Amino acid sequence: MFAETGLLIGIFLPGDSLLFTAGLLTTTGVHLSLPLTLVFPPLGAVAGAQVGYLIGRRAGPSFVDRPDRPRLARLAERSRRQLESYGVGRAVVLARFIPGVRTVIPIVIEVLQHRRRDESRSDGSPSRER
């Protein structure tokens, strides 16, 4: 779950299938520990999402703001409008249920929030510090 949620290669990893297989193996065959099976996947997902946020914070703005990538800048603007329209909380919750999106949404949110913080600083208005 960590690799699916937090690393950019997570789009290709079958997290849902692995959860189903782990549940099956807790009752038959290998006999995985049920408490460990219930604890570690959510912890891995949360830790992976945090790593996604860190990747978005470190590498995202320089990747999106490159002048040779105008299409990526347009997609970032479109994503920003969608997030403002529906809210970040709703996007994060809904992304948990869509396999490809659950990998990308923490990175996208952090890139867009980081850009918004930088823009508010350049305007002279107070910025929201963490």
Side-chain angles (χ1 to χ4, degrees):
M1 291 306 296
F2 175 81
E4 182 196 15
T5 310
L7 305 177
L8 293 174
I9 60 169
I11 293 173
F12 305 107
L13 297 173
D16 299 336
S17 301
L18 289 174
L19 285 176
F20 181 77
T21 304
L24 185 66
L25 291 176
T26 16
T27 59
T28 62
V30 176
H31 296 293
L32 292 175
S33 170
L34 179 62
L36 294 178
T37 305
L38 292 174
V39 169
F40 282 119
L43 287 177
V46 169
Q50 294 304 313
V51 168
Y53 283 116
L54 290 175
I55 290 171
R57 176 178 288 188
R58 300 277 182 194
S62 62
F63 185 71
V64 172
D65 293 336
R66 289 176 53 183
D68 61 335
R69 298 182 186 256
R71 183 172 180 222
L72 191 59
R74 286 193 308 269
L75 287 172
E77 180 61 28
R78 183 175 163 199
S79 298
R80 186 189 59 75
R81 285 194 311 265
Q82 290 292 325
L83 284 173
E84 286 177 356
S85 174
Y86 293 108
V88 173
R90 184 182 288 173
V92 169
V93 170
L94 290 176
R96 287 279 142 221
F97 301 103
I98 305 170
V101 177
R102 104 178 89 204
T103 301
V104 177
I105 199 72
I107 298 167
V108 169
I109 288 173
E110 187 57 36
V111 167
L112 296 178
Q113 286 182 347
H114 187 76
R115 290 180 78 197
R116 186 177 64 200
R117 285 191 298 262
D118 287 346
E119 290 170 2
S120 67
R121 286 186 195 131
S122 66
D123 293 338
S125 60
S127 64
R128 182 177 56 111
E129 292 292 326
R130 290 186 182 194

